[in-house]
Amino acid sequence: MYAQMVKSEATKDDPAKLAAFQVRIDAGEKIEPKDWMPEGYRKTLIRQVGQHAHSEIVGQLPEGNWITRAPTLERKANLLAKVQDEAGHGLYLYCAAETLGVSRDEMTEMLLDGRMKYSSIFNYPTLTWADMGAVGWLVDGAAIMNQVPLQRTSYGPYARAMVRVCKEESFHQRQGFHIMMAMVNGNAEQKRMAQDALNRTWYPALMMFGPSDKDSVHSSQSMAWKIKINTNDELRQKFVDETVPQAEYLGLTIPDEGLTWNEETGHYDYTEPDWNEFFDVISGNGPCNVDRLSARQKAWDDGAWLRDAMTAHAAKKATRNLAAE
């Protein structure tokens, strides 16, 4: 439906402008906020950047839950810093989306009423401290795989926001891997917890790249506009290829009996995630969907007084400036 809407909107644009725009895209030029752009391009970016921002904010919830329960003061400080980074990432991305003519309030309302989503991975629970290692290692690892190419995306504000985000996500991945290292080098129960966290996180992490290319309704147009640089399946394969040796180094087992090295392709063959589960989760039926959205709704409701106060202050300031003129 959305893809049809974008295509329909694109046909309303001046064909000469569309052709000139595509020439700029093909030449690798960055599109800036004041440049002309097709309405479909703008709406596709609002969807992608907005949902990316929501994912950063919602992603604080499963980790923030462990700050007070981290095993050492150093771990508490590290996790607190990481959660703070994720909040910053959300703010960078909301700012980037706002350059497309949509407000942060509008995007939040779209999240709360179901018009926007966030990454499916955050609808799964974090049951033990080892999950903080698995989330950093696998979830942030998958995020980096997705986001590094976005530094070359065609929309300038989004590409520039990704530079800092990727640097910080790289640190988060190392932090998670360090937690997993500590767990596997601990006692038998700690290593069991690490393996259990990997078992529960592996397939949801693979789902982070989005549906299989054959089922993705946005990919072809997004790649033509260079909003996306790689397909979902390309990124998923790269993630598997890079993560399997890391698991072997840790002495952990990827929970996939079909995982084998393919000499002909030079890649690992692996078992696809359960896509029925993926679509069920993004439809609102995951283990933590209700909790995550309830937390965002509460934050939105609790912050109403501050938004009202800031609006009143801005109006009062504008009236003073007008009187001074």
Side-chain angles (χ1 to χ4, degrees):
M1 182 70 178
Y2 180 85
Q4 291 174 345
M5 181 182 71
V6 170
K7 185 176 181 181
S8 173
E9 287 167 345
T11 62
K12 299 176 186 176
D13 292 313
D14 183 329
K17 286 185 175 180
L18 279 172
F21 180 81
Q22 193 62 51
V23 167
R24 292 189 64 194
I25 295 292
D26 293 342
E29 292 184 32
K30 287 285 185 282
I31 306 302
E32 298 299 339
K34 292 184 179 180
D35 295 343
W36 183 88
M37 64 186 72
E39 186 63 13
Y41 178 86
R42 186 182 75 85
K43 289 197 170 185
T44 297
L45 275 167
I46 288 173
R47 176 188 61 82
Q48 181 169 323
V49 181
Q51 293 182 175
H52 191 167
H54 293 325
S55 297
E56 298 286 355
I57 299 300
V58 175
Q60 298 175 92
L61 298 174
E63 294 180 314
N65 186 44
W66 279 93
I67 291 173
T68 58
R69 294 185 288 163
T72 67
L73 183 59
E74 180 182 11
R75 293 293 190 197
K76 285 179 172 64
N78 288 345
L79 186 56
L80 182 62
K82 181 185 179 184
V83 170
Q84 180 177 293
D85 284 347
E86 306 296 3
H89 298 172
L91 296 180
Y92 306 151
L93 291 162
Y94 283 134
C95 288
E98 285 176 325
T99 66
L100 293 158
V102 60
S103 73
R104 199 169 310 185
D105 285 2
E106 288 175 303
M107 286 184 281
T108 301
E109 288 168 353
M110 285 191 276
L111 171 68
L112 296 176
D113 67 21
R115 285 176 290 158
M116 273 192 175
K117 307 292 185 183
Y118 54 88
S119 180
S120 61
I121 188 69
F122 300 120
N123 288 314
Y124 291 87
T126 48
L127 303 178
T128 70
W129 172 250
D131 285 29
M132 293 300 94
V135 166
W137 171 36
L138 299 175
V139 176
D140 292 317
I144 293 167
M145 206 68 69
N146 264 321
Q147 293 168 9
V148 166
L150 292 176
Q151 294 174 102
R152 307 194 310 277
T153 193
S154 60
Y155 189 58
Y158 192 22
R160 290 189 287 273
M162 284 297 96
V163 174
R164 179 167 180 176
V165 169
C166 287
K167 288 179 180 177
E168 293 178 349
E169 292 289 8
S170 179
F171 176 78
H172 298 166
Q173 184 193 29
R174 292 196 298 272
Q175 182 181 354
F177 192 79
H178 187 265
I179 291 172
M180 296 301 274
M181 282 282 292
M183 297 294 286
V184 299
N185 287 307
N187 58 38
E189 177 60 15
Q190 289 170 322
K191 185 167 183 177
R192 186 203 63 78
M193 288 170 62
Q195 181 64 58
D196 176 64
L198 170 57
N199 292 347
R200 288 182 287 103
T201 308
W202 177 250
Y203 282 108
L206 292 187
M207 294 177 192
M208 286 180 64
F209 298 96
S212 178
D213 292 342
K214 66 181 185 299
D215 298 320
S216 178
V217 297
H218 307 301
S219 286
S220 60
Q221 183 59 75
S222 291
M223 292 190 69
W225 279 330
K226 295 188 179 178
I227 294 173
K228 285 180 66 173
I229 307 300
N230 301 95
T231 71
N232 298 347
D233 288 343
E234 287 173 348
L235 292 171
R236 193 169 9 256
Q237 183 66 66
K238 186 177 181 183
F239 174 75
V240 172
D241 290 346
E242 293 194 9
T243 307
V244 171
Q246 295 169 8
E248 291 173 350
Y249 180 81
L250 289 170
L252 297 175
T253 303
I254 300 289
D256 180 0
E257 293 181 358
L259 185 70
T260 56
W261 176 254
N262 188 320
E263 291 287 352
E264 292 184 10
T265 64
H267 298 288
Y268 283 95
D269 294 333
Y270 62 94
T271 303
E272 290 278 323
D274 180 348
W275 292 117
N276 290 328
E277 177 184 329
F278 170 77
F279 287 112
D280 198 38
V281 170
I282 63 173
S283 296
N285 300 315
C288 298
N289 287 67
V290 172
D291 289 344
R292 302 298 185 234
L293 281 177
S294 295
R296 294 303 300 131
Q297 183 70 62
K298 184 177 186 303
W300 177 250
D301 294 341
D302 289 350
W305 70 270
L306 180 58
R307 294 193 301 276
D308 292 343
M310 292 179 69
T311 300
H313 176 72
K316 186 175 181 180
K317 186 176 180 181
T319 302
R320 273 206 209 111
N321 290 342
L322 192 61
E325 294 175 358

